[in-house]
Amino acid sequence: MTEGPEPAGEPEGARLPAARALVPVEGPPPGEPVDAETARELLPYLRNGKKLALPTKTQKAKRKAAARLGSLADRYEAWRLDASAWFDRLDLAPDLAEEIGSRRWLRGLGTMVGLGAVALAFWPDLTPLEARPAMPQGEAVQSELRSQMILPLALGADSGRRMGPTQAVIPLKSAPERPQIALVVTLAPGDSFVTMLRRAGVAGEDIDRAAALVGQAVAVGDIQPGTQMDVLLGRRPAPGEPRPLDSLAFRARFDLQLELTRPGVGEIAADGTPVVPSGPLALKRNIIRVDETPLRVRGVVGSSLYRSMRQAGVPASAVQDYLKALDAQIDMDREVGASDEFDIIIAYRRAATGERQAGQLLYAGIDRGGRPRTQLMRWGSDGRFYEASGVGEQRRGLLAPVPGAISSSFGMRRHPILGYNRMHAGMDFKASYGTPIVAVSDGKVSAAGRAGGCGIAVRLEHGGGLSTRYCHMSRMAVRAGQSVRRGQVIGYVGSTGLSTGPHLHYEMYRGGRVINPASVSFVTRAELSGTELIDFRRQLIRLKEIEVGAALKDLAPLPNEVKEPVREIEKVDTARRGTPAVTL
């Protein structure tokens, strides 16, 4: 290959392909800074020179460390994979719901127990953490806190800030006590009359005397819980001894107030000093005049019978008894209209002192078009309601013995325990353990106790050859020979006898032979006759003659109950009202 002549006019460095010609650059004299243009031209050469330079010691150390870490990471990853494969083959946590009792299952059980033991070992204790108190402690701080406390004086309080005594203060050997202490004590539920007085601080002799005197008027055990008593304690006979009972007053009954007083209580001597009570306690009976005219309320049923009766002022308990009595006789939803009128009469007592007390329901009626449509009156010692014709409560069918669904009906079935088909002589009701079981109708207990596979059972005779039996009870609430009412609790659901769980097995018999309970729907009713029917109708006429709302009026005071006003303001108030004051 022959080289041709070089072209004229080209510089020598232009023959180098894809490379920059190395042209000597004249730098600035030593000690002078390099200008910006020259620095930009030299920058690529400096970078290429660093890449081609030998690595430093620091760079070599970094490269070795990176290589070691890379090898350790690879070895750790290989070890992790090997360990995972080993534990996977070991199968320490199998499904405990599979292969129960096998070695694999036992190995999983051991793993679960071990993990539980470890968890319990690391369970934190409940020891409270010690911390610095939020407030400083010390005698000075405690003294300052006591100075700001307020304690009852009756408990011997010694707190509160007070001035320090000076030389002029003479300490007393003993502080004088109050001559009398007036208390208001309340008889708590489950408490006794004697215990209440002892807790109030009455002397033992006075407690026995008071109990004996009160027992002459009423039985001490018949005093209702919640009764408030005004107690007046006298001066102690000696330091440290209990105070004597000077006076005790309380309302023993609605129509009787009792007062125990010691002679001299409240009396003033001729010189103006109070008389010191002395002598034994004496009983004073204050008979309170009471009117027992029943309360009669009438009104329109409207959109809600309950709300209409409550707005008319009928007590809630009487409204509930009224609805319950009528619901057992008629269909309240279909046979009572919004334009009908309700008529209710309840026992009612008014005391001359102003107290009022509502009693039980006496009469429940529904009128339509001004004429009685349904009339029920309570009659007899058992409190049964009778129609105006003298016919007793008419029950529409049987009650459900428990509030549960039927789980097994009457007929042939496979016994869940014995394992073969046999006659199921009753119905099973779903119910939880301890659910009350009620009588489906009025009857008499003919048998009560254990009855083989039936467990604890109760059998009732309802008359007319009909009887029922209730099985598998946990316990009974009646005894043999006892009479029961419809809806009365006779026992509680259990699982005694041949039973797979708590439920009620209910059977019915007619003439001694078992029948399907679902096929029987009967009513129970009682009828009055003879002189008893005549007395019943007379009482019904007397109740119907009671004026509506007459019992809500205040009792007119008797002449011996009128007290002349003492203060002028009382005279003015009495003149405005136009009625004298009433006292007993």
Side-chain angles (χ1 to χ4, degrees):
M1 184 174 181
T2 307
E3 297 180 2
E6 297 179 357
E10 284 188 355
E12 183 178 356
R15 296 195 301 265
L16 298 176
R20 191 171 182 180
L22 298 176
V23 181
V25 180
E26 293 182 1
E32 294 184 7
V34 181
D35 58 350
E37 184 65 25
T38 304
R40 281 194 296 271
E41 294 179 358
L42 294 176
L43 184 59
Y45 298 101
L46 294 176
R47 290 175 178 173
N48 293 334
K50 287 183 178 180
K51 293 180 181 179
L52 298 176
L54 297 175
T56 62
K57 293 182 179 181
T58 304
Q59 292 176 345
K60 290 179 180 180
K62 289 182 178 180
R63 292 176 182 176
K64 289 182 180 180
R68 287 182 179 178
L69 291 176
S71 61
L72 289 176
D74 294 340
R75 283 186 288 175
Y76 172 75
E77 184 66 19
W79 174 82
R80 187 182 66 81
L81 294 176
D82 294 341
S84 298
W86 185 80
F87 278 107
D88 190 22
R89 292 191 304 271
L90 191 59
D91 192 14
L92 290 176
D95 189 355
L96 295 181
E98 300 177 355
E99 302 178 4
I100 299 176
S102 62
R103 297 179 60 185
R104 179 171 176 269
W105 183 84
L106 293 175
R107 182 167 60 250
L109 180 63
T111 302
M112 183 186 69
V113 173
L115 292 177
V118 173
L120 292 177
F122 287 95
W123 188 272
D125 57 3
L126 300 178
T127 303
L129 299 177
E130 295 183 1
R132 182 178 179 182
M135 296 181 58
Q137 303 293 328
E139 296 183 0
V141 176
Q142 295 294 333
S143 176
E144 181 66 20
L145 291 177
R146 284 185 56 80
S147 67
Q148 300 180 19
M149 293 167 57
I150 300 176
L151 295 177
L153 294 176
L155 301 181
D158 58 352
S159 60
R161 191 181 296 278
R162 62 186 65 82
M163 297 179 60
T166 62
Q167 298 295 333
V169 176
I170 301 174
L172 297 176
K173 295 183 178 179
S174 62
E177 291 185 338
R178 288 182 291 176
Q180 290 181 334
I181 296 180
L183 302 174
V184 177
V185 297
T186 303
L187 184 63
D191 204 353
S192 64
F193 180 77
V194 174
T195 304
M196 179 197 62
L197 293 182
R198 184 180 297 111
R199 189 169 54 251
V202 181
E205 297 179 358
D206 292 341
I207 293 177
D208 298 337
R209 175 68 176 172
L213 292 176
V214 172
Q216 296 176 5
V218 294
V220 177
D222 293 342
I223 302 176
Q224 295 297 324
T227 302
Q228 291 187 345
M229 304 183 184
D230 297 327
V231 178
L232 182 63
L233 301 179
R235 189 186 299 274
R236 300 179 189 273
E241 294 188 5
R243 291 177 176 267
L245 178 63
D246 285 353
S247 175
L248 173 66
F250 66 99
R251 190 77 166 262
R253 291 196 312 262
F254 190 76
D255 59 346
L256 177 63
Q257 183 179 11
L258 298 181
E259 184 177 355
L260 304 178
T261 55
R262 195 181 299 275
V265 174
E267 298 180 4
I268 304 298
D271 57 355
T273 59
V275 176
V276 178
S278 60
L281 290 169
L283 175 64
K284 180 181 180 182
R285 297 180 177 89
N286 296 326
I287 306 299
I288 301 174
R289 186 166 58 94
V290 175
D291 179 78
E292 297 187 354
T293 302
L295 173 62
R296 184 179 185 183
V297 182
R298 291 177 58 90
V300 181
V301 172
S303 59
S304 173
L305 177 58
Y306 181 86
R307 293 180 180 176
S308 299
M309 297 181 72
R310 291 291 291 138
Q311 290 176 357
V314 182
S317 59
V319 175
Q320 294 176 359
D321 294 341
Y322 176 90
L323 296 177
K324 184 178 179 181
L326 286 183
D327 185 63
Q329 179 71 19
I330 62 176
D331 190 342
M332 299 289 292
D333 296 332
R334 297 182 179 181
E335 302 183 33
V336 178
S339 60
D340 295 344
E341 295 182 353
F342 63 85
D343 191 358
I344 180 174
I345 302 176
I346 60 177
Y348 201 75
R349 296 199 296 174
R350 296 175 294 167
T353 53
E355 294 84 4
R356 301 172 184 271
Q357 187 179 69
Q360 63 180 357
L361 176 67
L362 301 179
Y363 173 84
I366 293 290
D367 296 350
R368 178 173 296 176
R371 295 183 177 180
R373 187 180 185 278
T374 302
Q375 300 182 86
L376 296 177
M377 189 184 75
R378 189 185 297 272
W379 183 258
S381 59
D382 57 352
R384 185 190 296 267
F385 280 92
Y386 289 81
E387 297 178 354
S389 60
V391 178
E393 300 169 278
Q394 182 171 338
R395 314 287 176 76
R396 294 176 284 107
L398 300 177
L399 281 178
V402 291
I406 298 175
S407 59
S408 182
S409 301
F410 180 89
M412 295 296 297
R413 69 162 187 176
R414 184 178 179 85
H415 197 278
I417 296 180
L418 301 179
Y420 58 86
N421 291 338
R422 75 171 190 173
M423 185 64 181
H424 185 231
M427 294 190 305
D428 291 345
F429 288 84
K430 292 182 179 179
S432 58
Y433 190 91
T435 302
I437 304 172
V438 299
V440 297
S441 184
D442 295 351
K444 186 175 182 180
V445 181
S446 60
R450 288 196 170 270
C454 200
I456 299 177
V458 171
R459 182 160 181 162
L460 303 179
E461 301 293 336
H462 302 285
L466 288 174
S467 60
T468 54
R469 188 166 72 153
Y470 312 80
C471 301
H472 306 310
M473 292 183 177
S474 60
R475 59 189 178 96
M476 301 177 299
V478 293
R479 63 184 183 277
Q482 178 180 347
S483 297
V484 296
R485 298 289 304 276
R486 180 176 186 259
Q488 180 178 340
V489 177
I490 60 174
Y492 301 88
V493 172
S495 185
T496 56
L498 291 178
S499 172
T500 58
H503 71 284
L504 171 64
H505 177 75
Y506 168 66
E507 297 177 354
M508 179 171 288
Y509 299 86
R510 172 174 288 163
R513 299 182 60 181
V514 63
I515 61 174
N516 186 0
S519 64
V520 176
S521 178
F522 62 92
V523 297
T524 60
R525 54 193 299 162
E527 295 185 6
L528 302 177
S529 60
T531 58
E532 188 176 12
L533 179 59
I534 296 175
D535 295 339
F536 170 81
R537 291 178 176 175
R538 288 177 178 174
Q539 177 65 18
L540 179 60
I541 293 174
R542 285 195 292 268
L543 288 180
K544 297 283 286 186
E545 292 177 350
I546 296 176
E547 182 182 353
V548 176
L552 297 177
K553 301 177 182 179
D554 293 333
L555 289 179
L558 299 178
N560 59 346
E561 296 175 345
V562 177
K563 179 182 178 181
E564 293 295 333
V566 177
R567 299 181 302 172
E568 293 298 328
I569 188 65
E570 295 177 351
K571 297 179 181 179
V572 173
D573 293 341
T574 304
R576 288 177 179 177
R577 293 192 302 267
T579 56
V582 179
T583 59
L584 291 179

